[in-house]
Amino acid sequence: MGPERLAFRLLLPSVAVLLLVIAYPVLRAVYGSFFDDRPMGPAAFIGFDNYARALWGAGGADFWAAFRVTFLFTVVTVVLEVLIGLGMAAIMHRSFRGRGLLRASVLVPWAIPTAVAAVLWRWAFDPRGIVNHLFGADVTWTGAEWPSKFAIVFADTWKTAPFVALLILAGLQIIPKEVYEAARIDGAGVLHRFRHITLPLVKPALVVAVLFRMLDALRLYDLPAILTNGANDTTTLSILVVRASLGDLKPGYGGALSTLTFLLIFVTAFLFVRLLGAGALGRDRT
Amino acid sequence: MSTTAHEVRRWGGTAGLLLANGLVLVFCLAPFGWMVVSSLKPPAEIFDNRLLPANPSLVNYAAVFGSGSDFTLALRNSLVISASVTVISMVIGVFAAYALARLKFRGRNLVLGFFLAMSMFPGVAILSPVFQLFADWGWINTYQSMIIPDVGFSLPLGVWVLTTFFAAMPWELEAAARTDGATPSQAFRHVILPLSVPGVFTTAILVFISAWNEFMVANSMSQTPDVQPVTVAIAKFTGVSQFDQPFGTQMAAGVVVTVPLVILVLLFQRRIISGLTAGGVKG
C-alpha cells in the first residue's frame, strides 16, 4: 500500500468525526442563518435579514452589548493572566526546593472542572460568603453589573493564570543560564536583563499562550452561564448564541449570531498573529 | 564585612523567594481548600465563614451519596463518558498522528491546517445544529450524544500533541528492526508502540480531564439523571430538601468530583506539563 493510501485510511476516522461534529454543524448553522424562524411550515429564504437584525436591527442592542462584554472580559482576563503568569513563572523558575510541589499545585486550578469552580465562586461571592467576610465588605457581587463582571474576571483569572504560567515557564527553561551570566558580568541590571534577554527569548511561548487564551476567552460560556446566567450585562456572545438558538428556538437567528461570533474570533486571531506573532508562529512546528 | 552583607542579601533573597512561593501556593490552593472546609460544615454553620469548621461533619457527603440523590449515577455517567471519549480519541488520534508525523503524502499541510481550524470554532457554533441532527436520529439523552462531540473537541489538540511526540521519537530503531528482518507491523508493535506509551498516556490524561470537565454540550444533551454527568448534576444541585442551602452539598459534590483530578495531577504532573506545553512550545 502506498503512503497516500495508508495516510488516507489512518486519517479517515479522525477527519470523519471532525466533519460530523464540527464542520457539518458549522456549515449547517451558516446555511440556516439565511432562513427565517417561523414556528410552523418550511422556513423561507431571507438573505442577510438575520444578520441585519443582529447588527443594526431589533437584536442590535443585545448583540453589541454582548460584543462589548466579551471583548472586555477577553482583554482584562488575558492581560491579568499574562502578568500574573509571568510572575508565577519567574518564581517557579527560580525555585529549586519544592519545585515539584509548586508545579503540581499550579495544575490544581486548571484541573478543577469549570462548572465546579463556577459553583464555588458563586458561593464565595454570595453576600454572606467568604469574599465579603475577608474584606469586610457588604457587596451583592452577583446582583449588580460591575461586581458581577469583577466576579467573573476574578474566577477566570484564578483558573487560567496558572496555565499561562506553565506555558511561559516552558519557554523560560529553554534559555541557557550562560546568557544571564554573561549579561550579569557585563553589568546588566535585573530590569535590563528582563527586557533584553528574558522577554525576547520568551516571546514565542508568550505569543502562543496569549493566542490560546484569547481564543478561549472569546468563547467564554461556562463561568458566566453558571455564575450569573448572563444577568447584569454579563451576557457573552456564546451565551447569546445558546439563548437564541436553544432557548428561544430560533435556529436561523441563532445561526447568524454564531456565524458572527466565529468570524469575530477568526478576525481577532488573524490580526493578533499578523501584528504580533508573525515571526513567532511562522516557523516549522512539527 | 562585605561577606556579611553578601550573606544578608542572599538570606533576604531566599526569604523573599520563600514568601513568593507561599503566595503562589495560596493563590492556587486556597479556593480548593475553602471548598473542602465548606464541605465539612453542617448546614447551620455554612455561612459562619470560619477558616476551619467548628463542628466538622460528613452530613454533606451523606447527602451527596444518600438515597434520593442521583449523584452516584452522575459519577458513573461521567466515568462512562470520559473513559469512552479517551479510548476513542486515543485510538483514532494515534492513527492520525502517526500518518502526520511519519508518512509523506500530498495534502499533509492541508490536513494539519484542517485540524487546527476545527479547534478554533466556538462550541456554541455547533451546539444547535448538532442538537438538531441528534434529535433527528433519536439520540438526545444518550451517552453517544455527548461522547461523539467530546471526541470532536479533544481530537485537534490530541492529534497535535501526539504528532509532536511521534515526530521526536527515535525512528532509526524501527528501521534497524526492519533490517533485522521484522515486518513493518512487527517493527511497529514491538519497537515503536512501547516507546510511544509515555506520549500516548500523557495525551490520554489531557483528553480524560477535558472530557470529565465538559459542561456545555452535556447541559443540552442530557435531560434525565440516568445519563447526566457530574458537571451538570452539580450545577443543578438543589440540596437535600428544596428549602435547604445546597452550598455544603454542592461543595461536597465538588470535592468528590475534583479529588480524582487532583490525584491525577499529583501523580502525573510532569507528564501533564510536558503534554500541555508540547502543543505550544518546542523544547
Side-chain angles (χ1 to χ4, degrees), chain A residues 24-41:
Chain A
Y24 162 77
V26 166
L27 293 175
R28 182 73 190 72
V30 173
Y31 175 77
S33 69
F34 296 110
F35 291 84
D36 70 355
D37 295 308
R38 59 184 64 188
M40 270 173 232

Side-chain angles (χ1 to χ4, degrees), chain B residues 62-86:
Chain B
V64 164
F65 289 109
S67 58
S69 157
D70 295 317
F71 194 71
T72 326
L73 270 182
L75 274 175
R76 183 202 68 186
N77 296 334
S78 271
L79 204 62
V80 170
I81 295 169
S82 317
S84 314
V85 171
T86 310

Side-chain angles (χ1 to χ4, degrees), chain A residues 54-270:
Chain A
L55 290 174
W56 52 78
D62 284 346
F63 176 80
W64 291 110
F67 174 88
R68 276 194 302 273
V69 146
T70 306
F71 276 84
L72 176 79
F73 283 156
T74 303
V75 171
V76 175
T77 56
V78 171
V79 167
L80 283 176
E81 283 158 17
V82 166
L83 290 179
I84 296 174
L86 269 172
M88 286 168 74
I91 292 167
M92 284 193 283
H93 190 52
R94 294 187 56 183
S95 308
F96 290 99
R97 243 176 308 165
R99 201 185 220 177
L101 175 70
L102 264 184
R103 300 209 302 180
S105 61
V106 155
L107 282 172
V108 167
W110 167 82
I112 291 184
T114 308
V116 173
V119 170
L120 165 67
W121 289 113
R122 192 171 70 196
W123 289 111
F125 281 111
D126 188 272
R128 292 162 296 167
I130 183 76
V131 174
N132 273 348
H133 179 76
L134 282 181
F135 296 101
D138 189 17
V139 180
T140 317
W141 289 99
T142 48
E145 182 184 341
W146 288 102
S148 301
K149 285 178 178 160
F150 176 85
I152 290 169
V153 166
F154 189 93
D156 191 66
T157 305
W158 172 72
K159 192 158 169 22
T160 21
F163 171 75
V164 175
L166 285 176
L167 291 182
I168 297 173
L169 181 64
L172 277 178
Q173 282 169 340
I174 60 175
I175 303 177
K177 285 240 158 32
E178 299 78 46
V179 178
Y180 285 102
E181 283 307 318
R184 211 192 325 250
I185 290 164
D186 291 345
V190 176
L191 272 180
H192 193 81
R193 290 204 297 267
F194 178 77
R195 259 200 64 197
H196 295 281
I197 302 174
T198 313
L199 213 52
L201 283 172
V202 93
K203 193 187 158 202
L206 201 59
V207 168
V208 173
V210 170
L211 184 65
F212 278 2
R213 281 304 308 140
M214 237 171 50
L215 292 175
D216 263 1
L218 286 171
R219 49 192 171 192
L220 188 65
Y221 176 80
D222 295 6
L223 262 181
I226 296 174
L227 260 177
T228 59
N229 198 14
N232 300 307
D233 197 20
T234 54
T235 300
T236 59
L237 287 168
S238 285
I239 293 185
L240 198 66
V241 171
V242 174
R243 195 180 291 156
S245 42
L246 290 177
D248 303 343
L249 294 175
K250 288 184 173 153
Y253 185 56
L257 288 174
S258 85
T259 307
L260 288 170
T261 303
F262 75 67
L263 286 179
L264 277 171
I265 293 178
F266 277 21
V267 168
T268 313
F270 178 77

Side-chain angles (χ1 to χ4, degrees), chain B residues 40-203:
Chain B
L40 294 170
K41 290 181 177 177
E45 294 165 17
I46 198 74
F47 278 120
D48 71 0
N49 287 323
R50 270 180 231 249
L51 294 184
L52 285 174
N55 306 297
S57 95
L58 291 176
V59 61
N60 293 316
Y61 289 89
V64 164
F65 289 109
S67 58
S69 157
D70 295 317
F71 194 71
T72 326
L73 270 182
L75 274 175
R76 183 202 68 186
N77 296 334
S78 271
L79 204 62
V80 170
I81 295 169
S82 317
S84 314
V85 171
T86 310
V87 170
I88 298 172
S89 303
M90 289 329 290
V91 170
I92 68 178
V94 163
F95 291 162
Y98 179 85
L100 289 169
R102 286 295 294 156
L103 300 175
K104 296 223 180 314
F105 58 95
R106 258 182 304 134
R108 184 177 163 279
N109 283 332
L110 200 72
V111 176
L112 269 175
F114 171 77
F115 277 104
L116 206 59
M118 290 301 106
S119 71
M120 284 180 70
F121 288 104
V124 295
I126 67 138
L127 196 56
S128 160
V130 166
F131 189 88
Q132 212 69 61
L133 184 71
F134 288 175
D136 292 343
W137 294 353
W139 273 18
I140 301 305
N141 213 30
T142 60
Y143 283 144
Q144 66 266 32
S145 70
M146 292 172 268
I147 292 171
I148 294 178
D150 282 4
V151 170
F153 291 149
S154 62
L155 267 178
L157 180 74
V159 169
W160 192 262
V161 174
L162 284 173
T163 306
T164 4
F165 272 122
F166 282 172
M169 282 191 9
W171 293 95
E172 315 82 71
L173 289 180
E174 190 192 35
R178 292 289 301 281
T179 42
D180 287 349
T183 66
S185 121
Q186 278 175 330
F188 183 76
R189 274 184 297 137
H190 296 298
V191 180
I192 291 307
L193 217 52
L195 281 176
S196 65
V197 166
V200 172
F201 186 69
T202 300
T203 319

